[in-house]
Amino acid sequence: AMEDVCAKFVSQKISKTRWRPLPAAALQPPDLFATGSWDNEDNRISIWSVGDLGNVGLSGDYQAEPQLLCDIRHNGDVMDMQFLDQERIVVASSTGAVTVFRHHQSNQTLSVNRRWEKAHYHVDQETSCGGAACTGVICNNPEIVTVGEDGRINLFRADQKDAVRTIDNADSSTLHAVTFLRTTEILTVNSIGQLKIWDLRQQRNEPSQIFSLTGDRVPLHCVDRHPNQQHIVATGGQDGMLSIWDIRQDTMPVSLLNAHEAEMWEVHFHPSNPDHLFTCSEDGSLWHWDTSTDISEKQSFLHQGGRSTTYFSHNTTNQSVVSAWLSNDPTKDRMEITNLIPNQTLSVNSLDVLGPCLVYGTDAEAIYVNRQLFA
């Protein structure tokens, strides 16, 4: 419900929000997140603390709003952002640069740790380089993979000055996002509705597999891999559709789900509860897709608190979680979809989920934290 959400108004449009990963054995909920901005005179990378945990109000809800710990100027729009480890954040810029920032926790400052200035660029007739936006970045420490408007794929290592590998004409269209399938394999999505798998051990610069949406060639903007089932991938595109793919088999998506009324900007499986999935959109909505339970057992109390919750009829019981995403129409079997922002109007550009916590950022110059996702 909305009352669990803390809002913080900042004087910049937020393009990316990311939780700092927790140490492997950590039991506590995440406490720090980073944001990046776009479309501002002066874009920034900022580190926030979620606020004082001890400060619980009479009704048991958290009173504290996120506190800014430190920030640093960023050249260009922040197009993507990923934590490499507890201290370093990799940021993709609209200028084509990729920067690794280090967060110094002793004195709460941010500094540039490494920068690849022209990771992505267009070459025009005069062979002078014009930057091309770096649209996506994914990390598997120390490796960093970036994709861009120039159709290029780069593999960097955090400790090396030059790219380990570059696939120059990986794609003739814009690459919008990338994810690791396994340590040596990545998956990219592009502006003509294709998914491509690349095996980084192969020296040849062709994808090992290509999947595509049917004839529409709708641009795909985002992708995420199921954390436990490496063959299940979710993508979102310009038409707001959520597509679930099984990359072991067909070249077509297993299911297409009507989701948002405008571009879907991000899709994320919950990292430890992957039967929960989250999507956000230009249309100002953020949806929680829940395939975890038998809906017929759910009580109607969920309808309170201003949440718009959609139930679907129930055919089969006792399906495994995996087949819930892979059945031809998951909504038919069991799925509850909740819009976590019933009255939002401006674009929700980014979201991240970790443990019981959700953070998201919008064009309304605000960041929101919900620390009781599954309450």
Side-chain angles (χ1 to χ4, degrees), residues 24 39 58 109 162-163 200-202 216 267 275 286 318 345 353:
D39 197 27
L58 290 173
T109 56
D162 298 315
L200 297 173
R201 291 166 304 189
Q202 301 289 338
D216 309 338
V267 56
D275 39 2
L286 191 160
N318 301 331
T345 50
V353 281

Side-chain angles (χ1 to χ4, degrees), residues 108 148 187 232 245 273 280 306 333 343 360 363 370 374:
Q108 292 304 338
L187 184 145
I232 301 179
W245 308 71
N273 279 327
C280 64
D333 301 319
N343 314 316
Y360 59 95
D363 272 353
N370 177 342
F374 301 113

Side-chain angles (χ1 to χ4, degrees), residues 156-171:
F156 296 107
R157 285 179 66 101
D159 48 5
Q160 289 179 26
K161 192 164 65 93
D162 298 315
V164 178
R165 171 99 190 266
T166 295
I167 305 179
D168 266 327
N169 300 304
D171 211 300

Side-chain angles (χ1 to χ4, degrees), residues 37-339:
S37 70
W38 80 289
D39 197 27
N40 307 293
E41 290 281 299
D42 177 21
N43 288 304
R44 306 192 85 75
I45 304 296
S46 309
I47 304 280
W48 306 83
S49 130
V50 292
D52 179 13
L53 262 174
N55 193 1
V56 176
L58 290 173
S59 59
D61 53 345
Y62 297 112
Q63 301 295 305
E65 60 172 32
Q67 303 294 314
L68 179 65
L69 297 177
C70 52
D71 64 357
I72 192 170
R73 193 152 183 272
H74 179 265
N75 192 15
D77 291 340
V78 173
M79 303 291 289
D80 200 3
M81 186 166 71
Q82 297 289 335
F83 275 88
L84 181 68
D85 54 28
Q86 300 270 285
E87 298 181 338
R88 289 177 295 176
I89 310 164
V90 185
V91 181
S93 173
S94 58
T95 66
V98 175
T99 309
V100 183
F101 291 96
R102 185 179 287 277
H103 173 215
H104 305 272
Q105 296 179 52
S106 50
N107 60 357
Q108 292 304 338
T109 56
L110 277 162
S111 65
V112 173
N113 181 239
R114 184 177 291 289
R115 177 174 284 142
W116 295 282
E117 203 59 63
K118 289 225 172 90
H120 294 273
Y121 55 90
H122 293 298
V123 179
D124 57 34
Q125 283 71 32
E126 291 79 46
T127 72
S128 69
C129 293
C134 176
T135 50
V137 58
I138 194 80
C139 304
N140 185 15
N141 191 8
E143 296 191 322
I144 299 164
V145 174
T146 70
V147 297
E149 235 170 45
D150 51 1
R152 198 174 262 106
I153 298 173
N154 292 305
L155 172 61
F156 296 107
R157 285 179 66 101
D159 48 5
Q160 289 179 26
K161 192 164 65 93
D162 298 315
V164 178
R165 171 99 190 266
T166 295
I167 305 179
D168 266 327
N169 300 304
D171 211 300
S172 53
S173 54
T174 296
L175 289 168
H176 280 146
V178 59
T179 189
F180 273 102
L181 291 178
R182 39 182 71 84
T183 49
T184 56
E185 256 185 349
I186 57 166
L187 184 145
T188 57
V189 297
N190 70 12
S191 59
I192 57 169
Q194 294 173 318
L195 282 68
K196 296 182 182 178
I197 297 178
W198 306 83
D199 185 340
L200 297 173
R201 291 166 304 189
Q202 301 289 338
Q203 278 317 298
R204 59 197 191 92
N205 293 343
E206 273 88 48
S208 53
Q209 266 177 293
I210 300 179
F211 303 84
S212 55
L213 289 168
T214 43
D216 309 338
R217 295 166 93 78
V218 174
L220 292 172
H221 289 302
C222 53
V223 60
D224 196 28
R225 190 203 82 197
H226 190 291
N228 315 335
Q229 309 285 329
Q230 294 177 327
H231 52 276
I232 301 179
V233 170
T235 62
Q238 189 166 310
D239 55 2
M241 292 282 267
L242 171 64
S243 305
I244 307 290
W245 308 71
D246 181 348
I247 56 171
R248 291 171 307 187
Q249 34 162 317
D250 218 359
T251 54
M252 303 274 295
V254 176
S255 52
L256 287 165
L257 303 169
N258 270 310
H260 301 277
E261 286 160 28
E263 290 89 348
M264 184 189 296
W265 292 131
E266 290 200 339
V267 56
H268 290 291
F269 285 102
H270 191 287
S272 50
N273 279 327
D275 39 2
H276 297 267
L277 179 133
F278 298 83
T279 58
C280 64
S281 168
E282 178 74 27
D283 68 9
S285 62
L286 191 160
W287 286 17
H288 173 189
W289 306 70
D290 177 3
T291 63
S292 65
T293 38
D294 181 334
I295 282 161
S296 57
E297 296 166 7
K298 289 225 171 174
Q299 301 302 312
S300 58
F301 66 78
L302 278 175
H303 286 292
Q304 297 165 6
R307 305 217 293 195
S308 49
T309 301
T310 316
Y311 291 115
F312 294 94
S313 65
H314 196 77
N315 295 346
T316 43
T317 46
N318 301 331
Q319 280 195 313
S320 73
V321 168
V322 178
S323 61
W325 286 121
L326 289 187
S327 65
N328 282 335
D329 181 4
T331 53
K332 205 166 64 238
D333 301 319
R334 51 168 192 192
M335 170 127 36
E336 177 192 338
I337 305 171
T338 307
N339 180 10

